[in-house]
Amino acid sequence: MIDSFCNKIGSIGKLIGVTLLIVITFSSKFHAQVYLQVVDSLKQVLANTEDEISAAILESEICARLNYSNPTEARERCKKAVAVLERKAHPYLGDALFNLATCEQSLGNAEDYLKNIKKATGLKDNSTDVTANLYATWGTYYFGTDSMDHYYEKYFRYTWDNELFAHYPNSYAQMGLVYAIKGDLESADSLWEIGISHCTRGEFDANQSSMLYNLSVSGLQSAKYDRVIKNATHGLDLADKNKDITNQIGFLNILGKVSLFNRDTSQATSYWIEAAQIIDDENLNQPPTGDIIHELALYHLHGQRPEEAKKYADKLLKMGLASKDKADQARASMILALMAKDGGFKDQALSLVNSAMKDTAHIATPQVHMNLLVNAADVLDHFDQKSHALKLISEIESYLDKNYMLKIHKYALELKYKILRDLNKPHKALIALEKYKHVSDEFKDKTNSDRLHENKVRFDTERKELKLKNKEIELQLTKVENGRRQNLFLFGILGLIALFTIIFLIRSWRFSRSKSKMQSQFTHDLIKSQEMERRSLARELHDGVGQSLILLKNQLAADNEKARFVGQTLEEIRSVSRGLHPFVLEKLGLTAAIEYLVNESDERSDVFFDTEIDPVDDIIPKEKHVHIYRIIQEAITNLIKYAETPSAQIAASSDSPITFKVIDFGKGFDFINSIQSNQSLGMKTMMERAAIINAELTFSKNHPSGTIVELICRDDE
């Protein structure tokens, strides 16, 4: 299905589609490491569960996570769970069927995968989460057809209509893909950028990496290299953080290519060598490792280092044979053919060209295909097989008339001009030369826009200077009789310039203020949304899982060891629930919540806390309580983690203005550098919360050592 689809949509859709499939396929390694830790905990709970339905639900949840590391075991567990839930006609059956379908997909059982997806889709009482997953799954299944657009659009709308925050990043990723395939890269880029803004938690790292990769590939296509560098660098940082090897290699490859386009060969080589080292260390043999080895082989070939070039070409050929990747095999053969051409070995070079070109029909990526054709034409021309070379160039032109690959098109036309000139066909050679100049100029417009803009500014300046000189001559000739008119004209010009300058400054100031307000409002809405999501999740943990564990603990009262284990698990869940949302804040108020937070921090750390907290519940509006609580909570968390302080003071003064202080006696820190650092998300969130409640938050040094965090709440204006 993918191959036939790629033949229809052209180079941009193909490249983006293949890219997305690579990212989705290899991001599962990262998920496997995370989910294995959860599976062990769920298995322990399952061992103590006697209720048949509860056990079946737990089995299904284990399968959803175990599928990344052991899909065979996951499938068998899920089949048992489906049988129980189907017999009981339980509403969770849709979730279990979806998990079973995912296992079948991992094992390559397409028929069973489709059967279970259809069965799950036919159920009437599916949860909103399962329904959303089914829409996304059908979209992926119909990849490259009109049905894909239909299901991805339904997935996007359903996600937003039901406020399924966990699906927002993926829904934007898929809708961006829909527009990219249609050729609307501008809309696709906008959707991916919005999707990235919704990746606010670590669980969305895979979605974020995928969208950053797609933005980088899109930027390479449209020669927006500054944006490519920004997105690829961000993606590489994310891959490094998560130790996501495949994305590390992919982003290093993109950075290498953009460095090469910017004529920084040294930097490009540095990126590719780093990626090649990862490939060797991990013994990898899947995309995009072939791209890295190919680029290094070309680098050494153009640098007149044939031994190094052959080493990488042989490695690429070996990888292609092992993975049955026709593109890698063809690219390796072509590099060896170029080496044979440089050495003057005609028969060997032509044989390698034939070997490289025989499987080009099976190469899905058009850019690889076109590069092979250009190189083959170059070799054929070198050995006087010019008519054959022209046929290959015609094939390239036929394809590029409908698709956008400026760099390849430029090289093909340059070679065509050279061949026609050598064949003594001046008229056709002149036409090829004119087309080459046109494409070359367009390529320069894309890759050197800044330089061209600078030249344009210089040209405009010189032209204006010349006009001014001519005007001065005319003014000197007519100075006596037109003196008054000249002065009036100059004053008018100055007045207009002053007027336009004032208008420009006012508009710039208004725009800056409007932009600042929009950014501030977005941050405020984001924090509010996070609080709502935390509250909802905390309630689900407390009212759902917590109550089930209490019931289980009561049932296991006779078994002290099991009851103790369930009790510990219950306490951990309660602790997580309290961390997500402090229910004591709603029940007892801000003052009691702060005292409870301090007492809890005192118990779980080695820091001695001293408190002087006045009652402030009736003085401060209730809607500000949660922000004040979060600011104090972050300050206490930071001093426990980083301050290395033996003691701390927490104070709240009810005198006007109402003031909260968190004081430690530890090693202190550099406030300005911390705020400017990308790692200071906690401190920036504290500042944003203070702005929301119209309060002033300051950080100062405590003498002789330590830090004072002070929050001053002003009266509402």
Side-chain angles (χ1 to χ4, degrees), residues 417-430:
Y417 162 71
K418 176 179 174 295
I419 294 172
L420 291 171
R421 184 193 62 192
D422 293 344
L423 291 174
N424 198 22
K425 296 182 178 181
H427 179 67
K428 291 183 178 180
L430 182 60

Side-chain angles (χ1 to χ4, degrees), residues 235 311 345 358 385 427 486 648:
K311 181 182 77 173
F345 302 110
K358 68 179 180 181
Q385 297 194 14
H427 179 67
Q486 178 187 8

Side-chain angles (χ1 to χ4, degrees), residues 55-343:
I57 292 173
L58 280 170
E59 285 279 19
S60 178
E61 290 298 320
I62 289 172
C63 297
R65 294 156 178 82
L66 188 62
N67 178 47
Y68 289 98
S69 57
N70 191 343
T72 302
E73 180 186 345
R75 179 182 61 179
E76 297 307 315
R77 284 179 173 272
C78 213
K79 282 183 176 180
K80 295 177 183 178
V82 167
V84 172
L85 296 169
E86 200 167 23
R87 190 173 70 251
K88 300 288 186 178
H90 195 275
Y92 190 81
L93 177 60
D95 297 71
L97 284 168
F98 180 80
N99 291 338
L100 179 58
T102 306
C103 295
E104 298 290 3
Q105 184 185 33
S106 298
L107 292 168
N109 301 329
E111 186 175 341
D112 291 335
Y113 161 76
L114 188 60
K115 180 182 72 175
N116 287 300
I117 287 294
K118 287 181 177 179
K119 197 171 183 181
T121 305
L123 297 176
K124 296 181 180 180
D125 52 357
N126 282 328
S127 65
T128 55
D129 190 62
V130 169
T131 303
N133 281 329
L134 289 170
Y135 285 147
T137 301
W138 281 117
T140 304
Y141 180 77
Y142 287 112
F143 190 88
T145 67
D146 292 338
S147 295
M148 181 195 78
D149 297 1
H150 168 74
Y151 280 110
Y152 278 160
E153 287 174 5
K154 288 191 72 172
Y155 174 49
F156 185 82
R157 292 198 184 102
Y158 187 83
T159 294
W160 276 92
D161 290 344
N162 293 275
E163 296 183 353
L164 301 176
F165 301 112
H167 287 268
Y168 282 1
N170 192 47
S171 66
Y172 275 105
Q174 308 300 9
M175 280 304 297
L177 180 62
V178 169
Y179 280 96
I181 289 172
K182 291 178 180 178
D184 187 355
L185 285 183
E186 186 175 348
S187 298
D189 290 350
S190 297
L191 286 163
W192 287 327
E193 286 169 356
I194 297 172
I196 288 171
S197 72
H198 285 284
C199 296
T200 56
R201 301 196 300 266
E203 64 190 84
F204 299 136
D205 281 355
N207 297 109
Q208 188 174 5
S209 293
S210 172
M211 287 184 280
L212 286 169
Y213 197 94
N214 291 342
L215 282 169
S216 300
V217 173
S218 171
L220 284 175
Q221 289 283 332
S222 53
K224 297 177 180 177
Y225 296 144
D226 289 342
R227 193 182 70 175
V228 174
I229 293 171
K230 175 185 172 184
N231 290 321
T233 303
H234 185 184
L236 182 59
D237 291 340
L238 196 64
D240 290 341
K241 183 190 78 172
N242 294 321
K243 298 181 180 178
D244 187 349
I245 295 170
T246 302
N247 276 324
Q248 284 178 328
I249 296 171
F251 285 116
L252 284 169
N253 186 30
I254 287 175
L255 288 169
K257 288 182 178 180
V258 77
S259 298
L260 194 63
F261 293 154
N262 287 331
R263 300 180 181 179
D264 190 348
T265 308
S266 176
Q267 184 62 61
T269 308
S270 175
Y271 284 126
W272 287 326
I273 289 175
E274 183 179 350
Q277 186 61 51
I278 296 174
I279 293 169
D280 289 339
D281 292 344
E282 300 295 333
N283 195 25
L284 297 178
N285 193 28
Q286 70 266 344
T289 55
D291 292 340
I292 303 295
I293 304 303
H294 177 251
E295 296 293 350
L296 283 170
L298 285 177
Y299 168 72
H300 288 295
L301 177 64
H302 297 321
Q304 303 298 318
R305 291 179 290 274
E307 293 182 359
E308 288 294 316
K310 187 176 187 308
K311 181 182 77 173
Y312 283 107
D314 290 341
K315 184 173 183 177
L316 182 62
L317 182 59
K318 184 179 179 182
M319 288 172 53
L321 292 171
S323 60
K324 297 181 180 179
D325 189 324
K326 298 296 184 182
D328 285 349
Q329 295 176 35
R331 288 190 293 184
S333 296
M334 189 58 69
I335 290 172
L336 293 171
L338 292 171
M339 292 176 63
K341 181 202 80 171
D342 293 342

Side-chain angles (χ1 to χ4, degrees), residues 38 120 200 240 304 325 344 364 393 430-431 454 474 492 589 621 649 663:
V38 183
T200 56
D240 290 341
Q304 303 298 318
D325 189 324
I393 294 174
L430 182 60
I431 294 174
E454 182 181 343
E474 292 176 4
Q649 293 180 357
I663 305 171

